C-alpha cells in the first residue's frame, strides 16, 4: 500500500503511521480508506512520485478537465484587431522614388514601346540624306548643263538642215549622200554623243556614223560602222583622211540592212572611247582637234536613218 500523504510505498500495511512522513494510518483502511485493495496488480511496486503527489491509478489515465485544443474561451486574450488588419491599398501603390519597374505617382508599370534601334535609325537617316544629296546633285547637274542636246530626230526638226542629202522625215533623220549634217549647236570639246543608226539601202561595205570635233571645213574625226559588222575611226585634215582604226569586225555590231546599231563616242581631252550597242569597241588617243562641231555622216550610194540623239558632257 502507499502512504496517502507522501505516496511512500508501505511494505507492511499494519503500521500505525507512515515511516516516511509520519502520517497516521489505519491498518484496515487501505490506501485511501475503505476496503483494502491490492496495491500492485502486476506484482511490482510502483515508483513513488518525486513530487509527493499520488500517482495516477494504473489503467485509468487521468482525464483532463477540458480538451487541450482549442483553448477554452477566455483562456487567451483576444487578438489585436489592428495587428492583422488587411492593408487598405496595395503595398506598392505609392512606390518610393527611383524604384525600378514603377512609374511615379502610383501608375502601374507599363513596358515602354520599343522604338527602332539607334543603329537602324542612323542607317535610315544616312540613306535619306544620300537620296536627297543624289537628287540635288542630279538636279544641279541638269541645271548646270550636263545634258548638252537631245532630240528624237523624228518629224520636223528645225535645228537640223533639210537639203543636200540631209532630210528630216517622220521616221527619223535621213542622210542619202556623202555629207555631214550638223545641228545648230556650238562647238563642243569633252562631250559624249549617242545615236541610233539604221542602213536601209545601199552597199554594205560603206561606213556611216558620227563626225565629231569638226574644227573647220575639212578638219574633223569620224567614227562609223558598215553593213558587214565592222567599225572604223578616221581623222580628216584638210580633206585628207587617215585611218586611226582600220575596218575591224566586232560581234557587237549588228550587220545587214534595217538593223539598228546604237553608236556612242566619248571624248575626254585627247582620249576617245567608242561603243556599239553598249559594248566598248576600243579607244584611241589623238590631240589634233580639241573641240568642234558634232554631227551625223553618210556616204554616196547608201541611205541611213538616224534617231534618238543625245549629247552630254563627259564625266
Amino acid at each position: 500500500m502507499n502512504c496517502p500523504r507522501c505516496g511512500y510505498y508501505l511494505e507492511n500495511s499494519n503500521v500505525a503511521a507512515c515511516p516516511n512522513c509520519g502520517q497516521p494510518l489505519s491498518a484496515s483502511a487501505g490506501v485511501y480508506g475503505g476496503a483494502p485493495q491490492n496495491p500492485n496488480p502486476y506484482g511490482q511496486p510502483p515508483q513513488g512520485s518525486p513530487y509527493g503527489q499520488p500517482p495516477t491509478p494504473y489503467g485509468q489515465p487521468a482525464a483532463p478537465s477540458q480538451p487541450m485544443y482549442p483553448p477554452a474561451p477566455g483562456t487567451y486574450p483576444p487578438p489585436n484587431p489592428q495587428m492583422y488588419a488587411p492593408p487598405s491599398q496595395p503595398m506598392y501603390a505609392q512606390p518610393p522614388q527611383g524604384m525600378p519597374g514603377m512609374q511615379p505617382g502610383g501608375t502601374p508599370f507599363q513596358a515602354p514601346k520599343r522604338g527602332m534601334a539607334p543603329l537602324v535609325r542612323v542607317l535610315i537617316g544616312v540613306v535619306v540624306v544620300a537620296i536627297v544629296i543624289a537628287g540635288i546633285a542630279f538636279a544641279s547637274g541638269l541645271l548646270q548643263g550636263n545634258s548638252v542636246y537631245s532630240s528624237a530626230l523624228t518629224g520636223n526638226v528645225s535645228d537640223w538642215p533639210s537639203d543636200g542629202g540631209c532630210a528630216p522625215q517622220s521616221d527619223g533623220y535621213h542622210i542619202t549622200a556623202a555629207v555631214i549634217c550638223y545641228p545648230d549647236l556650238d562647238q563642243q570639246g569633252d562631250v559624249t554623243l549617242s545615236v541610233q543608226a539604221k542602213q536601209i539601202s545601199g552597199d554594205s561595205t560603206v561606213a556611216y556614223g558620227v563626225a565629231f570635233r569638226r574644227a573647220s571645213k575639212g578638219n574633223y574625226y569620224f567614227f562609223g560602222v558598215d553593213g558587214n559588222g565592222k567599225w572604223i575611226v578616221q581623222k580628216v585634215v584638210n580633206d585628207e583622211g587617215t585611218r586611226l582604226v582600220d575596218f575591224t569586225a566586232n560581234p557587237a555590231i549588228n550587220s545587214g540592212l534595217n538593223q539598228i546599231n546604237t553608236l556612242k563616242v566619248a571624248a575626254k581631252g585627247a582620249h576617245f572611247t567608242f561603243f556599239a550597242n553598249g559594248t566598248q569597241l576600243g579607244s584611241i588617243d589623238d590631240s589634233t582637234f580639241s573641240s568642234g562641231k558634232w554631227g551625223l555622216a553618210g556616204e554616196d550610194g547608201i541611205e541611213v536613218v538616224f534617231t534618238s540623239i543625245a549629247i552630254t558632257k563627259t564625266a
Side-chain angles (χ1 to χ4, degrees):
M1 61 179 269
N2 292 37
C3 174
R5 180 179 179 183
C6 66
Y8 181 76
Y9 177 71
L10 302 174
E11 294 182 1
N12 187 356
S13 58
N14 295 320
V15 295
C18 175
N20 183 46
C21 64
Q23 172 68 27
L25 299 175
S26 173
S28 61
V31 180
Y32 298 109
Q37 298 180 4
N38 185 0
N40 183 5
Y42 301 102
Q44 295 294 331
Q47 297 296 324
S49 172
Y51 303 104
Q53 298 296 326
T56 301
Y58 296 105
Q60 296 293 330
S65 59
Q66 59 184 4
M68 184 176 297
Y69 299 103
T75 304
Y76 301 105
N80 187 344
Q82 299 299 325
M83 183 178 298
Y84 302 104
S88 60
Q89 56 185 356
M91 185 177 297
Y92 295 106
Q94 297 292 334
Q97 294 295 324
M99 180 175 180
M102 299 294 292
Q103 298 294 332
T107 303
F109 172 73
Q110 295 180 354
K113 295 181 179 179
R114 289 185 177 274
M116 292 180 293
L119 179 59
V120 175
R121 292 197 296 269
V122 170
L123 292 178
I124 291 177
V126 170
V127 171
V128 171
V129 171
I131 292 174
V132 171
I133 292 175
I136 293 175
F138 178 75
S140 176
L142 293 178
L143 293 175
Q144 293 175 6
N146 283 345
S147 177
V148 177
Y149 178 83
S150 65
S151 174
L153 295 179
T154 55
N156 182 21
V157 284
S158 59
D159 50 354
W160 288 78
S162 59
D163 57 5
C166 305
Q169 297 183 27
S170 60
D171 62 337
Y173 195 76
H174 289 242
I175 299 180
T176 58
V179 295
I180 301 175
C181 307
Y182 296 99
D184 185 12
L185 187 67
D186 293 336
Q187 293 191 7
Q188 303 295 324
D190 294 344
V191 295
T192 298
L193 183 148
S194 174
V195 67
Q196 290 183 350
K198 178 175 66 174
Q199 181 181 352
I200 61 175
S201 66
D203 189 352
S204 63
T205 64
V206 178
Y208 58 90
V210 178
F212 58 99
R213 284 193 179 177
R214 175 186 178 269
S216 60
K217 185 178 180 180
N219 296 281
Y220 59 91
Y221 296 107
F222 170 76
F223 160 57
V225 298
D226 64 12
N228 291 327
K230 297 179 180 180
W231 66 290
I232 184 175
V233 177
Q234 189 171 359
K235 177 174 67 174
V236 178
V237 179
N238 296 326
D239 290 327
E240 292 291 333
T242 302
R243 293 181 179 181
L244 303 178
V245 177
D246 205 348
F247 278 101
T248 304
N250 192 295
I253 302 171
N254 298 320
S255 60
L257 298 178
N258 298 305
Q259 297 297 313
I260 297 175
N261 285 291
T262 300
L263 308 179
K264 184 172 76 172
V265 53
K268 183 73 171 180
H271 185 73
F272 308 99
T273 308
F274 307 96
F275 303 83
N277 303 313
T279 299
Q280 181 175 326
L281 304 176
S283 62
I284 63 168
D285 291 281
D286 189 274
S287 60
T288 304
F289 307 118
S290 60
S291 65
K293 288 278 190 177
W294 291 60
L296 304 175
E299 189 58 79
D300 290 335
I302 65 172
E303 183 174 1
V304 184
V305 181
F306 294 91
T307 57
S308 302
I309 187 172
I311 302 175
T312 60
K313 289 185 176 181
T314 303

